């Protein structure tokens, strides 16, 4: 069953099983529906500096906060660089980057917090959102994993931080892999496949990379499955991992897609917070 579920409001897909299971937890992924934008792509763009007016983006972020029951001051985000840097967020960084790139958490693609009333957010147009939850210890995290971050094993960095900083048992961590570009739409070349083959370290291709079949030297890469593989390799039981079936590139009615829209598009938000 699809873990990211449309509610009454088409602007938000809720990670419904986590929200239902954990009192006070909100987690989900925004769509492009609703909101306001000055850019040609229109909709609920949440990314500053993708050719949109800052005021519109801020207004969109505020409307999401209202819908998920968090004050805008709680919206906390980083300057994402397709790396594997992970930062622990405390109340001192609460609100970082909510109105400007200037005070974003610097050069970070993974955020973790043990504190309540912080809404961790990250932005996507095809890259993979990873959500982390340690229900007993009440610790949450979010990560941005495009092909570079996935190959740089940001998922393992997140898990390492959770287990080393908070002594969480790895098999109690839950992870959700959100809407992102699917294998169907993600053709890559050997430059991209190479780092994954190093991770895989076997002669045959993993089942999440398939030769394109038509274009020589091209492959279809399943980034969601690559992340699932890496999470399981790090010790997460498969039953703890939820995987969205949504392909952002197949559904540009619902999502922004960097690949489908030639790089000129908006950004969706993945969010997680504990009230
Ligand atoms: Zn697709």
């Amino acid at each position: 069953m699809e873990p990211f579920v449309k509610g009454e409001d088409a602007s938000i897909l809720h990670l419904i099983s986590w929200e239902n299971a954990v009192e006070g937890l909100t987690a989900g992924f925004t769509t492009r529906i609703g909101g306001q934008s000055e850019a040609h792509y229109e909709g609920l763009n949440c990314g500053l500096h993708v050719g949109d007016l800052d005021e519109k983006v801020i207004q969109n972020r505020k409307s999401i906060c209202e819908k998920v029951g968090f004050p805008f001051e709680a919206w906390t985000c980083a300057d994402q660089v397709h790396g594997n840097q992970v930062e622990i967020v405390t109340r001192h960084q609460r609100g970082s980057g909510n109105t400007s790139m200037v005070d974003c958490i610097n050069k970070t693609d993974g955020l973790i917090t043990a504190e309540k009333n912080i809404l961790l957010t990250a932005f996507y147009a095809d890259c993979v959102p990873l959500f982390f939850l340690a229900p007993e210890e009440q610790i949450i995290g979010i990560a941005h994993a495009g092909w570079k971050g996935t190959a740089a094993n940001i998922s393992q960095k997140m898990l390492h931080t959770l287990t080393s900083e908070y002594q969480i048992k790895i098999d109690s961590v839950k992870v959700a892999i959100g809407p992102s570009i699917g294998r169907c739409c993600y053709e890559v070349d050997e430059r991209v496949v190479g780092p994954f083959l190093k991770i895989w370290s076997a002669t045959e291709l993993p089942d999440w990379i398939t030769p394109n079949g038509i274009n020589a030297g091209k492959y279809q890469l399943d980034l969601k499955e690559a992340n699932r593989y890496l999470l399981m390799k790090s010790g997460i039981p498969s039953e703890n991992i939820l995987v969205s079936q949504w392909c952002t590139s197949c559904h540009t009615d619902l999502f922004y897609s960097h690949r489908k829209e030639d790089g000129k598009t908006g950004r969706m938000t993945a969010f997680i917070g504990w009230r």
Side-chain angles (χ1 to χ4, degrees), residues 180-186 245-251 260:
S180 45
I181 196 165
R183 184 198 302 248
C184 42
C185 295
Y186 197 41
Q245 297 307 306
W246 285 112
C247 168
T248 45
S249 176
C250 280
H251 298 280
K260 191 70 161 277

Side-chain angles (χ1 to χ4, degrees), residues 35-62 98-101 256 265-266:
Q36 40 180 314
S37 170
E38 228 11 63
H40 74 280
Y41 42 77
E42 295 183 343
L44 190 65
N45 168 46
C46 295
L48 294 164
H49 300 288
V50 285
D52 206 344
L53 266 184
D54 286 4
E55 301 94 270
K56 304 270 182 184
V57 176
I58 292 163
Q59 194 47 52
N60 289 343
R61 292 177 174 186
K62 284 181 175 169
N98 64 354
T99 60
S100 162
M101 298 288 287
Y256 296 119
T265 194

Side-chain angles (χ1 to χ4, degrees), residues 171-243:
D171 60 3
S172 70
V173 178
K174 297 186 185 302
V175 184
I177 299 173
S180 45
I181 196 165
R183 184 198 302 248
C184 42
C185 295
Y186 197 41
E187 185 188 279
V188 297
D189 57 19
E190 271 150 11
R191 180 183 65 106
V192 173
V193 164
F196 289 99
L197 295 183
K198 279 196 192 128
I199 292 166
W200 183 246
S201 69
T203 47
E204 299 133 55
L205 288 176
D207 58 8
W208 33 271
I209 300 176
T210 33
N212 176 274
I214 298 163
N215 300 325
K218 302 283 189 184
Y219 300 84
Q220 300 300 126
L221 171 59
D222 191 331
L223 268 185
K224 286 184 265 198
E225 280 303 308
N227 276 287
R228 199 168 77 92
Y229 163 73
L230 289 167
L231 288 159
M232 287 172 64
K233 197 177 168 192
S234 295
I236 302 280
S238 84
E239 63 267 26
N240 288 18
I241 306 173
L242 299 171
V243 185

Side-chain angles (χ1 to χ4, degrees), residues 32 41 252 255-266:
R32 71 189 296 167
Y41 42 77
T252 48
F255 301 111
Y256 296 119
S257 171
H258 193 272
R259 177 64 69 104
K260 191 70 161 277
E261 298 171 284
D262 225 5
K264 297 177 194 74
T265 194

